[in-house]
Every structure is written in structure tokens, then in C-alpha cells.
Amino acid sequence: MQVCIMQIWKLLLASAKDSMTIEGDANTAAGQALEAELPLACSGLRLDQALARVFPQYSRSRLLHWLRAGQVWLDEQPELEPRRRILGRERVRVVVAALPGATAPAAEAIPLNIVFEDEHMIVLDKPAGLVVHPGSGNWTGTLVNALIHHRPASASLPRAGIVHRLDKDTTGLMVVAKSEVAHLELVRRLAAREVVREYLALVHGHVDSGGVVDAAIGRHPSQRTRMAVRLHGGKPAVTHYTPIQAYAACSLLRCKLDTGRTHQIRVHMAATGHPLVGDQTYGRRGAEPAFHRQALHAVRLGLTHPVEDREMCWECPLPNDIAELLAGLSKPTRMVKS
């Protein structure tokens, strides 16, 4: 019987998916507990390392926080020392707690345009005007509030499962995790530039050919609410752009991100001398055509499923306001092949 148990534990340790069969999972609510017997394979490891191996659906930082907060019990005794060495076969119990200093945002019945959903993730089409994260001046009415209403268990995930963001007035596709396993994997793949994110952007002026903007972005040195291309102190940022359609006074571009910095496309295109139409922060005030927001739409999202390892891709049409803007522009002076 012991041999069979150890074989099962080896399988659990070999795969994050299998670890979900442990008592309690990434959807365990605050106040509930995760329980497991530490396998002999953990012998010699520190307690924090063993916890990360047995509960891979949680980040190391969260497990370490619970450990230091007295939320971890080893053989029915509270344990606060991360460096304690494990013998194997100890019984561990982790009381799930909310993120440090975090108060879960309230659930709000805000409609979501869901393009895809399974047990691991949601892909949605974000409308203009919807703030992604609660923050100063926007503590309610956000995408986080909507996600918690749609699925209350999302309140236990970092940022309700959100792994990337769109600006308030940018529309289009976003992916949101529904478990910490999916969250960690999506974050990893974003960092490894394995997620395809393409946008349609209407910019001022004529863009005759495609190109790449490889310029670090950081906070503006004097206007802290703005971002800017920085020679020193910025984070690497790469945007590929291709002209799709030329109009009398502007151009429609397809932009592809290698990185995901705040306001990246808006800052990079402004740096090329072609700011986005309607951009009140980086654009040309009073320039035609006039538009009530930046004309930017996340049109395509491609990724490998965070659990099932299958390639997936979605596209969504332009929102009505941008479609109407394009329809009202002067007849194109020329067509550019994508």
C-alpha cells in the first residue's frame, strides 16, 4: 500500500495539473485549508521549498506569506520557520488567507462580453470606458468588480485573475485566469513573449511602410501621469507596426506587441510622429479627425492554453464607434496590403 501511495505522490509532483487532486486547490476560499502529506521526495528540502513543490498552484511569495503569518501547521503544530528541513511524510495544513493588506473589491453586476470560457480561463472583449483595476478615483465599476460578480472565487486570485491590462478607453481582447495554476502560467508566457497580442490603431499622418519601435518606456520625468520614451531608467519595449489602410489625413495600422508596457502603443507611435487619433494624453489636440477616445482596439489574441497545452487564437471585430469613424473618413488615397 505504501508503494502505491508513493507512486501517486510522484505523479502529483511531476505535474501541476495532478497537484489539483490534493485536498484543496487554487480555488480554495480564504479561511479554508489545504492539506497534504509531504512525500519522501521532499526529504532534505526546506519547508518553503516543499510547500512550493506540493502546492504548485500557488506562488512561492503567497505560500511564504502564509508561512510567516502562522497559517502553516506541520504535524498539528504551527510552523513559522521557512528553512526547517523536511524528513518526509509529515502532514501539512495551510490555512488560506487573503492577500496581505488586500480587501476584496465588491462584486458588481457589470455585463461582460465573454468570447471564450472554460474551467481555467476567460477571454473577453473589453468595452471602452471600463477601467480594469480598482484604483484612485475608480474603486467601483471596474473589470475586477465584474469578474468577481461573474465568478466569486476570482476574489481569491491576484487581481481577480487579470494577467495583463488595457487602458480604460482601449477596447478588445483580454485573457483572465480562473485559477492560480493558470495565472502563474499565463504570467510566465507573457514574460516569455509567447502570447500574441495584435491591435488596430488609427494614427495621424501617412505611414508609408511598416517598422519596429524598440525604445524603453518609463515615467515621464516631470509629468508623472504620463509615460515617455526614456534613454535611461525605462523598461524595454518593442512594438511592430504595419500599415493596413491609408486615408486622407491618417493611417490604420496593425500593431503587434513583444512587451506590454503601460501606454506602449500610444507612446511609441507618438514618438514616431504619428500619435493615435483621439489620444488626449499623447495626441494632437484639435487635429482632424476628431474622436472622443484613442482609436485603439485589441483585435487578436493568440496563446497556448495554460493547462491543456493547445494553441488557441481569437479575433474580435472593431467596436461600433471606431467602425463608424473609419466609415466617415475621406476616401482612401491608396490601399496597403497587410
Side-chain angles (χ1 to χ4, degrees):
M1 178 64 70
Q2 289 182 347
V3 172
C4 292
I5 291 174
M6 292 311 303
Q7 289 175 339
I8 292 172
W9 272 109
K10 288 180 180 179
L11 290 172
L12 290 172
L13 292 172
S15 169
K17 306 184 191 74
D18 294 336
S19 71
M20 300 298 286
T21 63
I22 294 172
E23 298 172 40
D25 59 22
N27 298 323
T28 302
Q32 297 180 351
L34 303 162
E35 295 190 27
E37 180 180 283
L38 298 179
L40 288 175
C42 289
S43 178
L45 295 179
R46 301 194 314 257
L47 176 56
D48 58 340
Q49 295 172 327
L51 291 175
R53 182 174 293 189
V54 174
F55 302 116
Q57 67 269 36
Y58 290 98
S59 65
R60 288 177 178 265
S61 60
R62 184 181 285 202
L63 289 167
L64 187 59
H65 168 74
W66 290 337
L67 181 56
R68 290 172 172 168
Q71 306 295 129
V72 175
W73 294 62
L74 203 60
D75 287 337
E76 304 303 324
Q77 297 294 323
E79 182 57 63
L80 298 172
E81 178 49 63
R83 292 188 294 271
R84 172 171 173 164
R85 294 292 172 176
I86 295 302
L87 299 176
R89 295 184 178 173
E90 294 95 330
R91 189 71 184 174
V92 64
R93 183 171 186 267
V94 180
V95 178
V96 174
L99 289 173
T103 301
E108 297 182 45
I110 300 170
L112 292 174
N113 183 6
I114 294 176
V115 177
F116 170 86
E117 181 174 13
D118 65 7
E119 61 183 307
H120 306 291
M121 65 180 185
I122 299 171
V123 175
L124 58 90
D125 183 359
K126 189 189 86 67
L130 181 63
V131 175
V132 172
H133 299 120
S136 179
N138 293 288
W139 296 109
T140 60
T142 71
L143 178 57
V144 167
N145 300 108
L147 289 168
I148 293 173
H149 179 270
H150 176 72
R151 181 176 177 275
S154 293
S156 66
L157 295 173
R159 299 183 178 181
I162 292 171
V163 295
H164 66 119
R165 63 184 294 274
L166 295 177
D167 296 333
K168 175 182 177 180
D169 289 326
T170 297
T171 55
L173 294 170
M174 292 182 61
V175 61
V176 179
K178 292 177 65 175
S179 69
E180 190 138 355
V181 167
H183 185 272
L184 290 170
E185 184 61 15
L186 287 170
V187 168
R188 184 194 69 77
R189 291 180 180 178
L190 279 163
R193 303 183 180 183
E194 296 173 358
V195 177
V196 175
R197 290 169 291 169
E198 294 185 1
Y199 295 72
L200 291 179
L202 187 65
V203 302
H204 288 288
H206 288 161
V207 179
D208 296 322
S209 61
V212 179
V213 182
D214 186 349
I217 292 176
R219 288 287 173 189
H220 192 283
S222 59
Q223 302 176 49
R224 304 305 291 172
T225 59
R226 292 167 54 104
M227 307 300 288
V229 169
R230 301 293 303 270
L231 295 177
H232 305 286
K235 294 182 178 180
V238 180
T239 303
H240 304 258
Y241 63 91
T242 303
I244 300 299
Q245 183 70 68
Y247 295 92
C250 51
S251 302
L252 183 64
L253 308 181
R254 181 177 288 269
C255 299
K256 182 179 178 181
L257 298 182
D258 280 357
T259 53
R261 307 305 176 200
T262 301
H263 301 174
Q264 179 171 320
I265 293 175
R266 299 164 64 190
V267 171
H268 273 175
M269 296 319 301
T272 67
H274 299 284
L276 269 64
V277 168
D279 195 330
Q280 301 301 307
T281 303
Y282 306 102
R284 298 173 181 173
R285 296 189 179 184
E288 294 291 336
F291 197 52
H292 62 282
R293 66 178 180 90
Q294 65 263 14
L296 183 62
H297 176 67
V299 68
R300 185 170 182 265
L301 176 69
L303 53 82
T304 302
H305 193 285
V307 176
E308 299 175 4
D309 288 331
R310 55 191 174 100
E311 298 296 324
M312 307 185 75
C313 185
W314 301 268
E315 293 192 14
C316 65
L318 285 169
N320 290 337
D321 59 350
I322 295 182
E324 291 171 1
L325 171 64
L326 295 178
L329 293 177
S330 301
K331 184 178 179 179
T333 57
R334 56 185 168 83
M335 182 75 72
V336 180
K337 295 181 179 180
S338 59

